[in-house]
Amino acid sequence: MHTKNKVQKSKIKNFILGICIFLIGVSANAQCAMCRAALSGDSNVKKAEAVNDGIVYLMVIPYLLVLIIGYLIYKMYTKKKKAV
């Protein structure tokens, strides 16, 4: 039974590591067509990079929230299962 918990923890760690690796590879070219048209040109390079970074951060936050809530539910489920 003890090895089963180790295997589950290992799977969870690998899953979280996979998500982190995926998020590292997120491209910074995340502009929509309207943002790209508004920020096109050589004079707006820094503004365009800032908009790209903002889009990426806004995209990551919901995934992190789902991951945290899922982890908390998992911990509650395992704690309840151990108590029974």
Side-chain angles (χ1 to χ4, degrees):
M1 187 86 168
H2 187 64
T3 58
K4 186 177 180 182
N5 288 337
K6 284 186 178 181
V7 170
Q8 286 177 343
K9 287 181 182 179
S10 174
K11 286 183 180 181
I12 291 171
K13 288 179 184 178
N14 287 340
F15 179 72
I16 292 172
L17 179 66
I19 289 175
C20 291
I21 290 172
F22 172 75
L23 292 177
I24 288 171
V26 172
S27 176
N29 295 325
Q31 288 181 350
C32 66
M34 294 298 288
C35 296
R36 188 175 314 218
L39 297 172
S40 65
D42 294 333
S43 62
N44 292 328
V45 173
K46 292 202 183 242
K47 287 182 184 178
E49 289 176 1
V51 169
N52 282 338
D53 291 341
I55 291 170
V56 171
Y57 292 137
L58 287 172
M59 182 181 69
V60 169
I61 291 171
Y63 289 108
L64 287 176
L65 288 174
V66 169
L67 181 69
I68 291 168
I69 291 170
Y71 178 74
L72 293 174
I73 290 171
Y74 172 77
K75 289 296 276 185
M76 284 182 6
Y77 176 74
T78 56
K79 188 182 283 188
K80 186 182 273 188
K81 196 172 187 179
K82 285 182 183 179
V84 172

